[in-house]
Amino acid sequence: MNDSTWRHRTVEVEPSLNIAYIDCPSKNKRLQRGIILLIHGFPQTSYQFRHVINLFAEAGYRVIAPDYRGAGASTKPPAGFTKSVMARDFVRLLNALEIHEPVHVIGHDIGGMIAFAMAAKHPSRVASLNWGECPLPGTSVYTEDRTTHAVQQFHFIFHSVPDLALALVAGRERIYLSHFFQKLAYNTAAIKREDLDHYVQCYEQPGAMRCAFEVYRAFEQDAKECEEWITSYGKLSLPALCLSGVRSRHLNDAERMFAEVHQRGTYEIIAVPDSGHYIAEENPEGFVQECLRFIEKVTVGPK
């Protein structure tokens, strides 16, 4: 991982709330193709994109990869974990960086929920939308994951229990985070010991796990906001891509979920080979290839 061109910075997006981010300029002197915003998931940080940032930059894109509020090096606030608020953080981040052109938004897991909220609430800031590997609150897939698939998705309920969840996980962060990587990855070798060490260190920080649980505790409000938005304004018409690992359980429900919130003919579902849930880490080349193909299709048109 050559991060010599990466700039690690923070921006205050509201009083006492700093968003940390990686800013990598395009590495292609002949091509300056635009800006990609990468939004991570749980139990991760912007570090999850360590293998793909340079690949995007070499293709001619400037890459912005922030830690969302409560994660990584960003501030651990007491509130503000609805995905619409978290999406607003990133709009303010772009404003602070004087980026006013629409950007290509790529969100994974929790980041996918934030990406969708950003496209819904701030469509003029989004050139293309790429989100997946999550059950979007407000869809039937999300409801089923809290009921029919409650054992598989136990953490949706567990994280929502005030105080108890935090008390049980405190001091056991390595055991808890390891569970998700072992259960959801297909290429388990992609998450090396040093990678797990990095994530554990991040979530051992004071306030980090509390914030992680608050992200999940906000799901029911997120669902209400999504349902109200679709009722009032209709399904999204922005070009959208769903990337899912071919070995991920989320692949089976992706088409149905996207049909509930995106207009017909505006989206596509792609299964990335040799990958489970953590696509950018398990198969970074496949992840980048499909992301770039989609962006080129949106900006240039199909070949």
Side-chain angles (χ1 to χ4, degrees):
M1 180 178 68
N2 180 6
D3 60 358
S4 60
T5 61
W6 301 4
R7 295 186 291 268
H8 295 262
R9 300 287 188 271
T10 60
V11 163
E12 187 177 55
V13 297
E14 64 182 48
S16 301
L17 179 66
N18 293 329
I19 293 295
Y21 65 95
I22 297 167
D23 186 349
C24 178
S26 167
K27 297 185 178 185
N28 190 320
K29 295 181 179 179
R30 294 184 299 105
L31 294 173
Q32 300 295 319
R33 288 183 163 174
I35 298 169
I36 292 175
L37 176 67
L38 299 172
I39 312 177
H40 68 87
F42 173 83
Q44 298 158 293
T45 67
S46 57
Y47 180 81
Q48 82 171 77
F49 297 115
R50 63 196 177 279
H51 299 311
V52 303
I53 290 175
N54 286 339
L55 297 178
F56 284 128
E58 288 164 3
Y61 293 90
R62 178 183 177 184
V63 181
I64 309 295
D67 294 330
Y68 57 60
R69 65 164 63 199
S74 292
T75 302
K76 314 297 184 288
F81 293 98
T82 59
K83 307 313 163 288
S84 57
V85 169
M86 297 172 79
R88 186 184 65 193
D89 289 342
F90 294 149
V91 171
R92 290 175 172 175
L93 170 63
L94 295 175
N95 290 343
L97 296 177
E98 298 185 349
I99 296 173
H100 302 294
E101 66 184 90
V103 301
H104 301 286
V105 181
I106 301 174
H108 168 262
D109 188 79
I110 298 296
M113 301 177 187
I114 299 170
F116 181 87
M118 187 170 171
K121 301 295 179 67
H122 309 277
S124 66
R125 309 304 297 270
V126 180
S128 67
L129 175 62
N130 178 340
W131 68 279
E133 283 297 314
C134 63
L136 183 71
T139 65
S140 62
V141 173
Y142 164 75
T143 300
E144 290 171 6
D145 269 7
R146 289 180 66 91
T147 53
T148 306
H149 306 302
V151 173
Q152 167 70 30
Q153 299 294 93
F154 79 96
H155 56 294
F156 279 30
I157 305 301
F158 179 63
H159 290 186
S160 300
V161 180
D163 300 329
L164 178 63
L166 190 60
L168 293 175
V169 172
R172 303 177 180 88
E173 289 86 357
R174 176 174 291 273
I175 295 173
Y176 194 61
L177 299 193
S178 295
H179 166 81
F180 293 101
F181 290 118
Q182 292 169 0
K183 181 174 76 170
L184 300 179
Y186 170 68
N187 177 15
T188 55
I191 310 297
K192 298 179 173 58
R193 179 180 295 274
E194 57 264 32
D195 302 325
L196 180 60
D197 289 345
H198 179 91
Y199 290 130
V200 170
Q201 183 178 22
C202 286
Y203 283 95
E204 284 178 338
Q205 295 179 72
M209 198 60 80
R210 170 186 57 78
C211 290
F213 291 169
E214 291 291 346
V215 168
Y216 284 78
R217 197 168 294 138
F219 279 1
E220 287 297 272
Q221 179 60 34
D222 294 331
K224 181 180 178 182
E225 290 184 11
C226 181
E227 291 166 357
E228 291 176 349
W229 183 265
I230 297 298
T231 299
S232 299
Y233 299 99
K235 300 177 182 180
L236 268 63
S237 59
L238 192 73
L241 171 68
C242 173
L243 285 188
S244 193
V246 73
R247 297 286 187 149
S248 171
R249 64 174 295 273
H250 293 294
L251 177 60
N252 293 334
D253 297 321
E255 174 67 38
R256 175 161 56 96
M257 180 175 64
F258 265 60
E260 291 182 19
V261 294
H262 289 278
Q263 292 183 16
R264 180 181 299 178
T266 63
Y267 64 87
E268 56 180 303
I269 313 293
I270 296 294
V272 179
D274 303 319
S275 179
H277 181 60
Y278 305 103
I279 309 170
E281 292 174 291
E282 296 183 60
N283 186 353
E285 292 81 9
F287 177 84
V288 170
Q289 178 182 335
E290 290 299 340
C291 289
L292 292 179
R293 178 197 59 79
F294 172 66
I295 291 173
E296 183 176 348
K297 174 183 174 183
V298 169
T299 56
V300 180
K303 293 181 179 180

